[in-house]
Amino acid sequence: MTDARLIDGNAFSARLRDTIATHVQTLRDEHHVVPGLAVVLVGEDPASQVYVRTKHKRTVETGMKSFEHKLPADTPEREVLTLIEGLNDDPEVHGILVQLPLPGHIDSQKVIEAIDPAKDVDGFHPVNVGRLSAGLDAMVPCTPLGSLMLLKDVLGKLDGLDAVVVGRSNIVGKPMAQLLIKESCTVTVAHSRTRDLPDVVRRADIVVAAVGRPEMIRGDWLKPGCTVIDVGINRIEAADGTKKLVGDVNFAEAVKVAGAITPVPGGVGPMTIACLLRNTLVACARQHRLPVPPV
Ligand SMILES: Nc1nc2c(c(=O)[nH]1)N[C@@H](CN(C=O)c1ccc(C(=O)N[C@@H](CCC(=O)O)C(=O)O)cc1)CN2
């Protein structure tokens, strides 16, 4: 059997960012409006610092305004909430994102709920969670949205397909399941208590792995020809002592069985930031009561 097709998230996200940049230019030229994204980082988590830096770079490249707020790790919760109140009221800011995880003394849910749902480009506010689950227009979390775009690019229509989402987090697993239900898939959400997980995964035409456990999903758990979306980003030590990035799927085994698969890195990860820009563009258009660009 030939190896699975590699789903190239770097190439897809670069095309998406180009399309977004074109729409940003149109908004600027025709309506004198420039989308603005505010990113709040609390603390010095090294991975978060890299992601926030990349978000700033991509935001500016796309022609949008970027507002970075970097706060020390011991910033009181009240100060973060006050900052968000200010961003909610700032007409130049159309999207607000608080980089997660937050330091332990800050209640993440309280912070998320302080964001104006119209500016919640992460789609984590309960209003957006509820709207997505009701099948209404909503801000959709970036990683599941990017995963869905890749799936549609590979498979076209998804209706009637069996999808298994492994992981039930609020950020990925649950919204991913909602998006797949909307596409008329038959969706199973599996998690740490699921019985006979390999058998459950083996039924799937689409496997979305979002458990946060390095290489947990093995090649012999997969239905031959299925499509695998690996959301996991795990830093592990390789046999030679160097650090490497792996997903939640054992790639070397899975590539021999699946029909198509996202690599890690270079699969879903780059889609997360491209979809953040997409959500900021959409939020801006809605706030100015302009037609929402088709992205
Ligand atoms: N408020 C949020 N916090 C976090 C989110 C989020 O969507 N909203 N997601 C993750 C981190 N994240 C964006 O914030 C993110 C993760 C990974 C990538 C990415 O491009 N990954 C690369 C590998 C990069 C590396 O070497 O580490 C890839 O997979 O190719 C982008 C964004 C948690 N926090």
Side-chain angles (χ1 to χ4, degrees):
M1 213 168 135
T2 54
D3 280 4
R5 165 182 167 187
L6 290 190
I7 304 172
D8 187 345
N10 280 324
F12 192 102
S13 62
R15 288 196 299 275
L16 178 57
R17 284 187 276 110
D18 282 349
T19 306
I20 292 166
T22 305
H23 291 300
V24 170
Q25 186 71 45
T26 307
L27 270 184
R28 184 194 290 263
D29 293 348
E30 294 181 7
H31 303 284
H32 313 291
V33 168
V34 182
L37 171 65
V39 173
V40 179
L41 172 64
V42 188
E44 283 91 38
D45 176 76
S48 292
Q49 285 178 324
V50 173
Y51 298 141
V52 167
R53 217 175 300 133
T54 311
K55 284 173 187 181
H56 169 75
K57 182 168 176 265
R58 298 292 189 218
T59 304
V60 172
E61 278 171 1
T62 326
M64 302 190 193
K65 284 187 194 159
S66 168
F67 306 94
E68 280 187 309
H69 296 271
K70 295 183 178 171
L71 308 175
D74 60 357
T75 304
E77 183 182 273
R78 173 61 5 229
E79 236 174 79
V80 179
L81 296 173
T82 304
L83 170 62
I84 290 171
E85 281 164 23
L87 297 172
N88 284 342
D89 291 340
D90 186 339
E92 282 203 296
V93 171
H94 304 97
I96 302 170
L97 175 140
V98 177
Q99 188 65 32
L100 300 177
L102 284 167
H105 67 282
I106 299 178
D107 180 344
S108 305
Q109 194 56 32
K110 208 166 170 183
V111 169
I112 288 166
E113 289 183 24
I115 299 172
D116 177 346
K119 296 191 177 186
D120 167 37
V121 282
D122 252 333
F124 296 162
H125 190 286
V127 167
N128 284 312
V129 174
R131 291 185 65 87
L132 177 64
S133 71
L136 302 171
D137 271 346
M139 281 294 156
V140 177
C142 303
T143 302
L145 180 58
S147 301
L148 183 71
M149 287 180 183
L150 294 178
L151 277 171
K152 285 180 157 180
D153 190 51
V154 174
L155 295 170
K157 278 168 76 85
L158 308 183
D159 58 302
L161 295 179
D162 282 314
V164 172
V165 180
V166 189
R168 55 177 160 178
S169 70
N170 289 339
I171 293 178
V172 182
K174 286 180 196 159
M176 188 75 235
Q178 296 293 353
L179 289 174
L180 291 166
I181 289 169
K182 216 169 165 184
E183 296 298 323
S184 300
C185 290
T186 304
V187 182
T188 303
V189 180
H191 46 75
S192 52
R193 299 287 175 88
T194 298
R195 277 185 252 150
D196 301 324
L197 183 59
D199 278 347
V200 171
V201 173
R202 221 171 271 125
R203 290 203 297 264
D205 304 304
I206 294 169
V207 179
V208 180
V211 256
R213 292 185 56 184
E215 301 180 317
M216 188 184 95
I217 294 173
R218 311 296 303 259
D220 64 359
W221 295 19
L222 300 173
K223 181 200 268 193
C226 72
T227 301
V228 178
I229 301 291
D230 191 350
V231 177
I233 297 180
N234 309 288
R235 272 164 236 282
I236 63 162
E237 202 168 295
D240 62 1
T242 58
K243 290 268 188 308
K244 70 168 183 170
L245 214 57
V246 297
D248 293 347
V249 178
N250 184 315
F251 183 84
E253 293 177 4
V255 79
K256 301 280 173 213
V257 185
I261 184 168
T262 55
V264 177
V268 173
M271 294 300 293
T272 298
I273 294 180
C275 287
L276 172 65
L277 303 175
R278 180 261 177 209
N279 282 355
T280 305
L281 172 68
V282 169
C284 174
R286 286 189 185 146
Q287 282 160 47
H288 285 273
R289 302 194 193 291
L290 294 168
V292 173
V295 278

